[in-house]
Amino acid sequence: MPKISPFSLVDAAAELADDVEVGPFCHVGPAVRLGGGCKLLSHVSISGPCQIGRDNIFCPNVVIGGAPQDRKYKGAVTQLEIGDNNLFREAVTIHRGTEKGGGITRVGSHNMLMVNAHLGHDVQFGSHCTIANNCMIAGHVIVNDHVNMAGGVGIHHFVTVGEYAFIGGYSRIHHDVPPFLKIDGADEFRGVNTVGLQRSGVAQGDIDALQEVCRQLYSRQRPFAAVLNELNALDGLNPLVRRLMEFIRLRDQGRHGRYLEGKRV
């Protein structure tokens, strides 16, 4: 049977795996499913509908599955889905989806969200990401795999963050963040995320190809669009470079530097 503190309240309609541990002063609502090995340390609140995978750790004052902060939300049944092996440090908050946003907020696996991080409604959050203290991710944002954010980052709604991106501390992100790059300040390019790519086992040849392309794109010696068109016309581009080009082209087809903004309903 799950190990539940007598000082906690777990709704009878919640589904907990046999080895779940619920510490003192926690609340688990109905329509919540907690997979094996999950631990709620203390003062954790989880509302449903919410489906949570295995071996997730919830530190004190984490609030999971709350209603979306959206004036258009009128109480529809929406969901939150969380994968496996995530660490949610103190005061992390994650909201359920909205009807117009697809109805589901998703979080992948093997992530660490540090103190006071927030994921808004309808966020689609990948795996193997590290989000530092006080990062605020607005609704309808997509964060791909292996993303790292330093403390205090704020991300505008409908932004897409590409895989292996690094965002510097207290950055203000209004535009889509291309994969494999470092971004700082107000959407300012700072180079290729060399350290992050190396730590993830990306080949040095791929990193060198990305660095060469970024020197051409961001040198300011030639118009960005002209360089991009030339690169897109080349055959045999490195696969990572091709992915970068496709992302930038898609971003430019949206509005305000955000591809998803063009699909907004």
Side-chain angles (χ1 to χ4, degrees):
M1 296 292 293
K3 182 179 179 181
I4 301 174
S5 168
F7 299 105
S8 288
L9 176 61
V10 177
D11 193 279
E15 299 181 31
L16 279 61
D18 289 344
D19 56 350
V20 167
E21 298 181 16
V22 180
F25 308 109
C26 295
H27 173 254
V28 179
V32 172
R33 297 179 62 186
L34 280 166
C38 287
K39 296 181 180 180
L40 286 61
L41 300 188
S42 73
H43 300 84
V44 174
S45 175
I46 303 180
S47 303
C50 181
Q51 182 168 322
I52 299 172
R54 294 189 53 85
D55 299 314
N56 295 284
I57 298 176
F58 302 89
C59 293
N61 300 309
V62 166
V63 179
I64 299 292
Q69 297 179 138
D70 187 328
R71 289 186 180 273
K72 298 184 293 300
Y73 178 73
K74 303 301 181 184
V77 177
T78 58
Q79 301 180 53
L80 169 63
E81 296 180 356
I82 295 175
D84 306 325
N85 293 286
N86 296 292
L87 172 60
F88 302 99
R89 292 300 303 265
E90 295 82 354
V92 166
T93 54
I94 306 176
H95 292 166
R96 301 192 311 274
T98 61
E99 286 182 288
K100 288 190 175 181
I104 304 177
T105 302
R106 292 185 176 90
V107 178
S109 301
H110 303 283
N111 299 297
M112 178 166 65
L113 278 68
M114 299 186 193
V115 173
N116 204 42
H118 171 71
L119 303 185
H121 58 82
D122 303 294
V123 164
Q124 307 297 303
F125 194 87
S127 299
H128 301 282
C129 298
T130 301
I131 309 300
N133 298 359
N134 303 308
C135 287
M136 300 287 104
I137 300 176
H140 307 285
V141 168
I142 294 177
V143 177
N144 283 280
D145 297 343
H146 298 281
V147 169
N148 284 269
M149 301 182 195
V153 170
I155 299 186
H156 194 284
H157 54 273
F158 289 99
V159 160
T160 299
V161 181
E163 59 269 27
Y164 295 98
F166 175 86
I167 302 177
Y170 292 94
S171 294
R172 306 178 305 282
I173 303 301
H174 309 89
H175 304 155
D176 291 349
V177 177
F180 318 121
L181 304 188
K182 294 185 296 185
I183 302 295
D184 197 7
D187 304 298
E188 299 172 22
F189 168 73
R190 297 298 187 192
V192 175
N193 183 19
T194 303
V195 173
L197 291 169
Q198 289 173 339
R199 288 175 176 174
S200 297
V202 175
Q204 188 61 45
D206 293 331
I207 297 173
D208 294 341
L210 287 168
Q211 290 176 328
E212 175 57 32
V213 165
C214 288
R215 277 193 288 269
Q216 297 179 53
L217 286 171
Y218 295 98
S219 66
R220 299 175 185 260
Q221 295 178 0
R222 300 175 58 205
F224 189 94
V227 176
L228 190 61
N229 288 334
E230 287 182 9
L231 290 169
N232 282 326
L234 294 176
D235 293 327
L237 276 179
N238 177 281
L240 270 60
V241 172
R242 178 65 67 186
R243 163 62 179 153
L244 176 62
M245 298 298 101
E246 291 173 351
F247 186 98
I248 294 173
R249 184 170 61 252
L250 200 61
R251 177 192 66 185
D252 293 345
Q253 292 174 358
R255 299 173 57 200
H256 313 298
R258 300 184 290 270
Y259 167 67
L260 292 175
E261 195 77 51
K263 295 187 169 185
R264 188 173 184 175
V265 293

